[in-house]
Every structure is written in structure tokens, then in C-alpha cells.
């Protein structure tokens, strides 16, 4: 599943290509990907709308209209957004097409069909998408040790599991929880209640630093993004532990180990991240 750095990369690539464009036609081939309202009303309400800008909240994208309406999207496991010329062949499993007045198309494809769209009117409450239940963004000024300790410090659950709770911290998943905990030198299976104040301070600094690092490493041009069909995340060579089970630790040379924490695979260094 794309995590915060990947979703932010998508936002940065897609926004300049569709900003100010008018949606002339919306084609839905899989109505189930439109979670709210129904697909017919979704198309009717969006037709003729002008796109203002795109924001990101956790792993969600929000496409704002000049009218004040907002279209919320969660890519889930395999969702992909592409801006293409109208004459480019569609990707397999393309479920939504937004035809724009500049001749381009904004297309959504999704092999597993878990991705979802929601359309909310100007000022309309959102009890549907779950975006209102998200915790803090890692880049806000008051994302600090006090916040982390207060929200997670009494939990008798593994710190890796806690970092992935979207209701506490928005945007972290399996990949970056491993990378963050390695950089902070904290074992992924440590109970959150066992962390010291110094470790909470370390996490408060490491979380935004690592996410910012991978956003920067993911930078890609719109042309490159389209050529690779939105699947070329350039930060992969910079991952230090995720997916590197059995390889030498980049810090101490010890063999990286894999365990299962909260049902999720986790790779760590047994020397740098002592239990």
C-alpha cells in the first residue's frame, strides 16, 4: 500500500497537470469504486467543475474544486492515478476516467479494486471516508514527544503497531515504521509503555525526518511518472532495513533479522535495536 511519501509524490506529480482544468466528462466502469454518493450522482455533480488544487491527509488525496466541493481518494493496496493524453491506451483495470478540457485524462486504475472515491459538497460533513478520524500529520509543529508519549506511552502494544495506527499518526505503514524505528534505534516489538522520554524525543524527530527524506528521494518528473505508470518509487535503494532480511546492517554489519509484529513482517538490527 502506498504510504505517506508515495501519496505525497503522487500529489506533487498530478496537481500541476490538472490544476485549473475543467472536468468535461466522467466515465465510471466500476461503480463500486465510488463509495459516496452513488456513481451516477458522482458523475453528474463533477461534470463541469474546475479543479482548484490537491492536498494530502495521511494516505488520502483530496482534489478540491473551485466550487468548494472536494473529491477524496484512498488508493488502498494497488490504486494508481495517471494523467495521460486521451489517445494513450488505457491501463488494464482502469475504473474511472476524468476527461479534462485540456485534452488530457485523469485515470484511476486498481488491480484489486479496493481504492475508493468520495465526493463531498462545500461545507458538507464527512462521516464516510474516515479522513476525519486520522491522527496528527507528522509535519505539524506540535507533533512532538509530548504528543507521542501522551497518546501512545501507556499502550501495552508493540511500538511498531502503535506507529501504524492511523488514528494517532497519519500516514505511516509497514515500510516506514521499520525505517523509522531503525533510525531511532528502537526494537519494533518493544512495548510502547516501556519507552523512555529520551526515546519519545528521538521518535518525534526521526518520524518527520525519515518521511521527508523519502519524499525527497521519490522526486520524479511527470514524464517519468507516466512512463513508469506511477510505479517507480525512487526511494527504494535508500531503504536501510525494510526488505533486507539477512543482509548486513548498514550501521554495524550485523545480520538483519525478520520477525512478525502485530501480524506484520518487520526487519530490524538485533545489535542497533536491542529488545
Amino acid at each position: 500500500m502506498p504510504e505517506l511519501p508515495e501519496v505525497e509524490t503522487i500529489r506533487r506529480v498530478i496537481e500541476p497537470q490538472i490544476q485549473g482544468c475543467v472536468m468535461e466528462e466522467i466515465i465510471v466502469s466500476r461503480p463500486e469504486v465510488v463509495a459516496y454518493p452513488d456513481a451516477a450522482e458522482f458523475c453528474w455533480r463533477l461534470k463541469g467543475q474546475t479543479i482548484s488544487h490537491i492536498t494530502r491527509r495521511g494516505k488520502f488525496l483530496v482534489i478540491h474544486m473551485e466550487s468548494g466541493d472536494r473529491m477524496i481518494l484512498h488508493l488502498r493496496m494497488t490504486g494508481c492515478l495517471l494523467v495521460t493524453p486521451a489517445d494513450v491506451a488505457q491501463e488494464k483495470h482502469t475504473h474511472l476516467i476524468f476527461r479534462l478540457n485540456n485534452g488530457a485524462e485523469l485515470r484511476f486504475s486498481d488491480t484489486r479494486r479496493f481504492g475508493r472515491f468520495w465526493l463531498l459538497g462545500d461545507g458538507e460533513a464527512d462521516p464516510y471516508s474516515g479522513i476525519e478520524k486520522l491522527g496528527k500529520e507528522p509535519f505539524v509543529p506540535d507533533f512532538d514527544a509530548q504528543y507521542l508519549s501522551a497518546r501512545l506511552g501507556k499502550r501495552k502494544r508493540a511500538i511498531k503497531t502503535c506507529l501504524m495506527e492511523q488514528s494517532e499518526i497519519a500516514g505511516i505503514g509497514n515500510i516506514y515504521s521499520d525505517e523509522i524505528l531503525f533510525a531511532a534505534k528502537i526494537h519494533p516489538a518493544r512495548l510502547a509503555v516501556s519507552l523512555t522520554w529520551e526515546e519519545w524525543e528521538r521518535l518525534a524527530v526521526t518520524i518527520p525526518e525519515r518521511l521527508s527524506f523519502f519524499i525527497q528521494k521519490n522526486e520524479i518528473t511527470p514524464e517519468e511518472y507516466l512512463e513508469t505508470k506511477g510505479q517507480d518509487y525512487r526511494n527504494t535503494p535508500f531503504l536501510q532495513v525494510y526488505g533486507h532480511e539477512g543482509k548486513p546492517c548498514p550501521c554495524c554489519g550485523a545480520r538483519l533479522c525478520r520477525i512478525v509484529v502485530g501480524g506484520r513482517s518487520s526487519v530490524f538490527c538485533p545489535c542497533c535495536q536491542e529488545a
Side-chain angles (χ1 to χ4, degrees), residues 16-267:
Q17 299 182 79
I18 67 172
Q19 201 165 23
C21 292
V22 177
M23 294 189 178
E24 293 189 331
E25 186 179 5
I26 298 91
I27 301 169
V28 180
S29 59
R30 284 281 183 177
E32 65 267 28
V33 305
V34 179
Y36 175 83
D38 63 60
E41 183 177 350
F42 179 86
C43 296
W44 174 76
R45 286 172 55 184
L46 280 174
K47 187 174 182 179
Q49 294 242 34
T50 301
I51 298 166
S52 171
H53 62 287
I54 305 178
T55 58
R56 179 197 53 74
R57 181 76 171 95
K59 301 176 188 178
F60 288 83
L61 287 171
V62 185
I63 302 178
H64 299 265
M65 308 299 156
E66 288 188 355
S67 67
D69 291 358
R70 62 201 189 277
M71 180 170 61
I72 300 170
L73 162 64
H74 200 300
L75 299 167
R76 301 283 169 81
M77 296 295 292
T78 58
C80 179
L81 273 184
L82 291 176
V83 178
T84 74
D87 59 356
V88 170
Q90 292 180 25
E91 291 301 304
K92 193 176 181 181
H93 308 293
T94 295
H95 308 313
L96 263 175
I97 299 175
F98 303 88
R99 289 183 174 160
L100 308 177
N101 67 330
N102 64 354
E105 294 182 350
L106 175 65
R107 299 175 180 175
F108 173 73
S109 60
D110 188 359
T111 304
R112 300 184 69 177
R113 300 201 301 273
F114 291 156
R116 291 293 181 268
F117 285 77
W118 300 263
L119 178 62
L120 286 301
D122 185 15
E124 183 179 356
D126 177 16
Y128 311 106
S129 70
I131 199 170
E132 301 295 335
K133 298 179 181 178
L134 294 176
K136 280 191 187 296
E137 286 284 319
F139 305 120
V140 298
D142 58 348
F143 184 86
D144 54 20
Q146 181 63 47
Y147 175 78
L148 292 174
S149 177
R151 298 303 295 254
L152 306 176
K154 295 182 180 179
R155 302 282 187 89
K156 294 181 179 179
R157 301 183 70 187
I159 184 59
K160 177 185 171 86
T161 302
C162 292
L163 292 185
M164 293 193 294
E165 289 184 13
Q166 301 303 299
S167 60
E168 305 297 351
I169 307 170
I172 300 173
N174 201 39
I175 296 172
Y176 298 110
S177 56
D178 275 4
E179 294 297 310
I180 288 163
L181 290 168
F182 175 72
K185 300 188 183 301
I186 298 171
H187 192 284
R190 282 268 306 278
L191 298 184
V193 71
S194 74
L195 267 61
T196 65
W197 178 253
E198 189 273 335
E199 287 172 322
W200 289 119
E201 288 186 316
R202 209 153 67 223
L203 272 178
V205 172
T206 302
I207 290 170
E209 186 279 325
R210 285 289 83 190
L211 294 175
S212 295
F213 172 82
F214 286 111
I215 290 171
Q216 186 269 322
K217 293 301 180 186
N218 255 345
E219 285 185 1
I220 188 171
T221 67
E223 293 77 18
E224 292 166 332
Y225 181 85
L226 178 58
E227 183 180 351
T228 59
K229 300 178 175 58
Q231 302 303 313
D232 179 19
Y233 296 119
R234 302 187 165 200
N235 61 25
T236 302
F238 299 96
L239 295 171
Q240 294 188 292
V241 291
Y242 180 82
H244 294 324
E245 175 192 0
K247 295 182 180 179
C249 169
C251 290
C252 73
R255 183 179 179 181
L256 296 175
C257 299
R258 175 188 174 274
I259 56 173
V260 176
V261 178
R264 305 298 296 275
S265 174
S266 186
V267 180

